[in-house]
Amino acid sequence: MAYQLQVTIDKDSGFCFGVVYAIDMAEEILETDGYLYCLGDIVHNDEEVARLKAKGLRIIDHSKLPELKNEKVLIRAHGEAPETYRIALENQITLIDASCPVVLKLQNRVKTSFDQAEKILIYGKHGHAEVIGLQGQTNGDALVFQDLAELEGIDLPERFTLYSQTTKSTDKFYEIKAELQHRGYDVKANDTICRQVSNRYDELGNFASQYDKVVFVSGKKSSNGRVLFEVCLKRNPNTYFVSDPAELEPALFQPGDRVGICGATSTPMWLMEQVKTVLEEY
């Protein structure tokens, strides 16, 4: 039976400028040098990483960096802690710095706060590359938390400065700020959330509500993907998360369904187009 689904890709989905910048830099060097080291996954999307690996991208972790000498190493959009730059200097490593400008600005603000002896709290995901880079600006001093429940039983200073990972929800950040103030703390809040990401919440919600079914395409490691998937799900309960076209199931769709495809800021457009092709074959 032909389903004849009406499939539309969200034109605003796909890579944010920080990711585009990093991938463009990587591809340029791969073109001339044939290989390039990258510190951590260049983007939280396995399919895009595999595409770049096939072109010669070599993903390494931080434990491998000190073993390299006289090589080029790409710093991805998430940014890095000062320690990375120190090792690179010692080992004559040329850093291709593709840190996102929004992240760099945040790093500088966190460093300034730390230098001014402010106590720092960071609302962000534990172990996330961006958050590790931010903590590095404070010599590991900043307190990172993913939700308010984590702060229960912790003896917080009366006054502190609150920052956020750039891809967090703006609404959630202001809720946390208000709750901490309500508890009597003197909170100096710095909203450093990337507007290209936060504007996606409303846009995606509106997009998701226009279709019978929504297919949200994202890498499983993407924290931004998880947040944006929830935004879609809230507006359209018939939203399905896939990281690969092979995960699609015909049984989820009805003949004539209007299907919207959207994704995270780390989802390549070519992957969403592959999903569209598969759906149109039903």
Side-chain angles (χ1 to χ4, degrees), residues 24-242:
D24 282 353
M25 282 176 104
E27 290 196 303
E28 217 168 277
I29 291 164
L30 290 169
E31 197 75 28
T32 52
D33 293 8
Y35 77 96
L36 172 66
Y37 290 99
C38 179
L39 203 46
D41 284 347
I42 190 166
V43 60
H44 286 152
N45 187 281
D46 292 344
E47 285 70 24
E48 179 66 3
V49 169
R51 183 184 76 83
L52 290 163
K53 273 183 172 174
K55 291 187 167 203
L57 192 71
R58 300 173 183 177
I59 307 285
I60 58 164
D61 62 22
H62 287 79
S63 67
K64 287 269 178 278
L65 188 66
E67 296 170 18
L68 296 181
K69 299 266 192 307
N70 305 305
E71 290 285 4
K72 287 180 187 170
V73 176
L74 182 87
I75 288 180
R76 60 213 170 140
H78 300 107
E80 278 296 324
E83 175 71 356
T84 298
Y85 294 87
R86 191 188 61 71
I87 293 168
L89 206 57
E90 271 178 20
N91 289 12
Q92 275 86 52
I93 292 168
T94 304
L95 290 178
I96 312 298
D97 199 339
S99 301
C100 169
V102 179
V103 174
L104 284 178
K105 187 176 170 187
L106 169 55
Q107 284 189 351
N108 289 333
R109 287 172 75 169
V110 170
K111 171 114 178 52
T112 302
S113 287
F114 179 68
D115 290 344
Q116 290 169 353
E118 294 174 9
K119 294 290 179 196
I120 298 167
L121 264 69
I122 298 170
Y123 166 50
K125 184 180 177 183
H126 294 289
H128 189 282
E130 182 191 318
V131 174
I132 291 168
L134 296 175
Q135 262 188 307
Q137 309 303 318
T138 70
N139 293 338
D141 229 33
L143 174 64
V144 174
F145 66 102
Q146 284 180 195
D147 56 57
L148 280 172
E150 282 182 45
L151 300 178
E152 301 296 344
I154 290 180
D155 193 14
L156 295 177
E158 281 175 30
R159 167 182 292 185
F160 52 80
T161 303
L162 178 65
Y163 285 100
S164 169
Q165 183 180 335
T166 58
T167 51
K168 284 293 183 193
S169 152
T170 320
D171 290 350
K172 192 86 171 92
F173 176 75
Y174 283 105
E175 272 172 34
I176 287 168
K177 175 197 170 186
E179 177 55 30
L180 289 169
Q181 285 176 327
H182 177 68
R183 292 179 188 181
Y185 294 107
D186 180 354
V187 183
K188 178 176 158 190
N190 281 281
D191 174 358
T192 51
I193 291 163
C194 173
R195 287 304 179 257
Q196 193 178 359
V197 172
S198 65
N199 291 344
R200 298 286 299 122
Y201 299 143
D202 291 341
E203 290 165 3
L204 258 193
N206 293 337
F207 177 83
S209 63
Q210 294 170 38
Y211 297 89
D212 300 315
K213 309 278 165 63
V214 173
V215 176
F216 186 86
V217 188
S218 170
K220 292 184 173 72
K221 296 179 200 164
S222 167
S223 48
N224 165 254
R226 280 282 146 206
V227 173
L228 293 178
F229 170 65
E230 293 297 335
V231 168
C232 290
L233 196 58
K234 202 178 273 184
R235 290 293 289 274
N236 187 334
N238 297 314
T239 298
Y240 309 106
F241 187 106
V242 300

Side-chain angles (χ1 to χ4, degrees), residues 263-278:
T265 52
S266 54
T267 304
M269 187 53 78
W270 62 261
L271 190 59
M272 289 184 276
E273 279 162 1
Q274 279 186 4
V275 168
K276 182 175 193 271
T277 302
V278 171

